Amino acid sequence: MNPTYQAVFDALPEPKPVWKHFLGMMQVPRESGHPEQIRAWLLEQARTLGLQSAVDRVGNVVIRKPATPGLEGRPSICLQAHMDMVCEKTKESTHNFDTDALVPRLLDGNTKLMATNTTLGADNGIGDAMALAILEDRTIQHGPIECLFTVDEETTMKGAAEIEAGFLQSHYLINVDSEEDWRICIGCAGGFEAHIRQPLSWIQAPGARIQLELHKLLAGHSGVEIHKGRANANKLLCRLLHQGIQSVTPFALLQSLVGGTKKNVIPGASKAVIVVPEEHVERVMAALHAKFEQIKTEWKTAEPEMELAMSVLPERTGFALCPSSTRKALDLILAVPHGVLRMSPDVAGLVESSINAAKVTLAHGHMENHLQIEFFARSSNNNAMPWIYEKLGCIARLAGAQLSERLHDFPGWLPNMASPLLATAKQVFTEVMKKEPEIYAIHAGLECGMFQAKYPGMDCISVGPYMTDVHSPKETLYVNTVPKVYELLVGIIRNVH
């Protein structure tokens, strides 16, 4: 273990095996879509522990621990977490997620664990680590245990969606992918992806090129943080262009606009290039700066660190959208929905339906010269999802654009208040935490609904330690919540009959 990791490990509390496994995972590249290295690492942990493991056709890993002698008759229980992570970094970071280990750091008296200028990967690495620590722990009296590590949860949920029937042997499943240690989750939203493509006309456009980059927005998870009213960088940049230029010159053309990274990340940065006559450069930049100051004041509470960088590029020729297509592109980006669509009428404070206008790509030579906007919609009401899709279709038709089919559909997870696993978890939670748990459903997508579709009657709950700002370089794991959640998991395992 290198000195940085050793110093962090030494400062972390018991149970040390959890931190050993988590810090081990931080050194293994595991971006969604690239599970090879982390899968090999997990299989090596199974070999080291002398436990049986298997890989299904989609790449999920299961590690099985036999029951304590005499307890073979107890029902099998599965601990489940996903092996991939969202890979986001600050603008200044040179981190290579394909090769580099994450760099851990402790803050605030060793109570907060973060990475250095990147996501931490505690979503869901800390769940993986707790599962591995339980596999390693020989002091627990338990029935059969299996730990499932799924692939690509953060992108397509392919691991859960395509898990093989019969791959799991458990009736009970604890998903260790929640982020609030005072609660037990018993339901989640379903969702789908889609994209709109708009054909546009390009022309040779001589003139000065002004590059704008709106960045340092908070971004965040499009499920658990969509209700916080954070700005969408793509839409806000288009608003800046729309309002900042129209009073100065009618001759500004849009050459490119690219922003957003992942379907489940609220866009935190966006970059555009506009073409204006040479004689208007100073006036345009002054108008954009003035409008940005107004917008910054408006957003000072929700987006306190937002910045705008502007520069004049050396190029003076090349393609840009014609005037009418410039207008069409800005209109479409500004018109598409983003954010909360409806709050639940039944559960106070729960978002029922939302949509993340996640990515915009507009550049000559890309996407067949179309503007493409990618969306990720969520709803705990399965009847609402077709309507959200139809709404996108209405906007696409008005804009002369095409809407894709619904992609990567996944079902919601319906709550079951009569769950025997929940009853056991509530009892153990009260003993461990010295208070009763909040029981809730979440707007983010968890994999439990997909497991239940493949394994009818499977009884599921979800728990986890406290984390904030997941899916962003500000991702923070609150260290002191981990031991109690580990104790909760151990207590549930001991008491499942």
Side-chain angles (χ1 to χ4, degrees):
M1 194 178 290
N2 71 35
T4 299
Y5 275 79
Q6 188 66 55
V8 170
F9 177 78
D10 291 343
L12 289 165
E14 294 288 350
K16 287 293 189 179
V18 173
W19 302 112
K20 176 187 71 175
H21 291 301
F22 181 62
L23 292 173
M25 293 189 75
M26 288 187 70
Q27 299 172 69
V28 183
R30 55 190 177 97
E31 185 170 13
S32 304
H34 303 280
E36 298 80 14
Q37 294 185 68
I38 189 60
R39 181 163 52 233
W41 185 86
L42 287 165
L43 293 172
E44 179 59 31
Q45 306 314 302
R47 283 190 287 269
T48 299
L49 294 171
L51 298 175
Q52 178 192 22
S53 63
V55 180
D56 70 0
R57 61 176 177 77
V58 78
N60 299 316
V61 171
V62 68
I63 303 174
R64 295 190 175 94
K65 184 179 182 181
T68 301
L71 300 181
E72 294 85 355
R74 288 190 180 183
S76 178
I77 188 165
C78 178
L79 302 179
Q80 183 270 321
H82 58 86
M83 65 179 81
D84 60 317
M85 65 173 284
V86 169
C87 293
E88 291 286 308
K89 61 184 179 181
T90 62
K91 181 183 176 183
E92 299 79 13
S93 174
T94 60
H95 186 89
N96 184 341
F97 284 106
D98 294 333
T99 58
D100 299 346
L102 304 176
V103 181
R105 57 194 177 109
L106 285 164
L107 295 86
D108 292 353
N110 298 336
T111 62
K112 298 178 182 178
L113 180 61
M114 299 179 70
T116 304
N117 296 324
T118 68
T119 38
L120 175 65
D123 175 15
N124 191 208
I126 195 63
D128 297 312
M130 285 192 281
L132 290 168
I134 284 172
L135 291 175
E136 183 177 342
D137 192 336
R138 304 300 182 186
T139 68
I140 307 170
Q141 301 290 305
H142 58 81
I145 296 174
E146 54 186 358
C147 293
L148 174 66
F149 307 93
T150 51
V151 298
D152 296 345
E153 188 270 352
E154 297 290 7
T155 50
T156 63
M157 288 199 173
K158 182 178 181 179
E162 299 183 24
I163 190 170
E164 295 179 8
F167 189 58
L168 297 180
Q169 301 169 0
S170 300
H171 174 67
Y172 296 119
L173 183 143
I174 303 176
N175 169 276
V176 197
D177 193 17
S178 286
E179 296 156 9
E180 296 169 319
D181 63 301
W182 60 93
R183 311 170 94 185
I184 298 175
C185 184
I186 60 169
C188 72
F192 69 88
E193 299 172 47
H195 61 257
I196 288 176
R197 283 192 175 182
Q198 184 184 43
L200 298 166
S201 297
W202 298 78
I203 58 173
Q204 283 286 349
R209 266 71 179 163
I210 301 175
Q211 178 176 279
L212 303 93
E213 183 176 9
L214 187 65
H215 63 111
K216 293 191 177 180
L217 281 72
L218 290 177
H221 192 295
S222 69
V224 298
E225 292 172 314
I226 197 72
H227 65 288
K228 294 182 178 179
R230 295 176 178 176
N232 180 312
N234 294 318
K235 293 177 72 69
L236 202 58
L237 182 56
C238 285
R239 175 186 165 186
L240 175 65
L241 293 173
H242 169 72
Q243 295 182 322
I245 296 175
Q246 61 183 357
S247 62
V248 178
T249 175
F251 304 112
L253 304 177
L254 189 58
Q255 177 175 299
S256 65
L257 196 151
V258 178
T261 55
K262 308 284 193 309
K263 66 162 189 176
N264 53 3
V265 178
I266 301 166
S270 186
K271 183 182 292 186
V273 176
I274 59 173
V275 182
V276 301
E278 293 279 359
E279 62 271 21
H280 291 308
V281 169
E282 290 187 8
R283 292 180 61 216
V284 167
M285 292 183 73
L288 289 169
H289 177 75
K291 177 52 65 174
F292 173 70
E293 289 301 314
Q294 294 178 11
I295 292 174
K296 188 175 181 179
T297 299
E298 175 188 333
W299 284 90
K300 64 182 180 181
T301 301
E303 297 291 351
E305 299 179 13
M306 179 170 62
E307 293 183 4
L308 175 68
M310 284 190 290
S311 61
V312 180
L313 302 178
E315 295 84 3
R316 289 296 182 269
T317 60
F319 285 96
L321 296 181
C322 70
S324 62
S325 285
T326 293
R327 181 72 273 155
K328 288 179 182 178
L330 292 176
D331 284 351
L332 179 57
I333 296 169
L334 287 169
V336 296
H338 171 82
V340 175
L341 301 177
R342 188 182 190 224
M343 298 299 292
S344 170
D346 302 311
V347 182
L350 176 66
V351 178
E352 180 199 88
S353 304
S354 75
I355 191 164
N356 184 32
K359 295 176 66 177
V360 170
T361 305
L362 173 66
H364 190 262
H366 294 270
M367 303 293 178
E368 300 177 334
N369 292 331
H370 287 52
L371 164 66
Q372 177 166 292
I373 309 175
E374 300 175 42
F375 302 91
F376 184 23
R378 304 175 190 263
S379 184
S380 54
N381 178 356
N382 287 331
N383 291 327
M385 287 194 282
W387 167 237
I388 297 170
Y389 179 74
E390 290 169 19
K391 183 174 182 177
L392 291 176
C394 295
I395 293 171
R397 285 191 294 274
L398 288 170
Q402 297 87 41
L403 175 65
S404 72
E405 62 184 8
R406 284 168 58 171
L407 307 169
H408 306 302
D409 258 312
F410 63 95
W413 164 29
L414 297 178
N416 175 18
M417 291 300 295
S419 154
L421 180 60
L422 175 61
T424 299
K426 288 168 65 177
Q427 177 185 339
V428 175
F429 187 104
T430 303
E431 294 170 358
V432 170
M433 306 292 190
K434 310 304 179 187
K435 61 182 179 181
E436 293 187 358
E438 291 184 19
I439 308 301
Y440 77 112
I442 193 172
H443 186 59
L446 295 171
E447 295 160 288
C448 298
M450 296 181 185
F451 297 134
Q452 289 179 336
K454 198 64 64 77
Y455 298 90
M458 178 176 274
D459 192 353
C460 304
I461 62 170
S462 180
V463 298
Y466 185 39
M467 288 176 266
T468 55
D469 294 308
V470 297
H471 297 187
S472 83
K474 294 181 180 293
E475 181 181 0
T476 302
L477 172 63
Y478 289 76
V479 169
N480 295 333
T481 67
V482 172
K484 286 294 187 182
V485 173
Y486 184 79
E487 187 179 350
L488 171 65
L489 292 172
V490 170
I492 295 171
I493 290 168
R494 283 178 170 151
N495 284 277
V496 164
H497 291 86

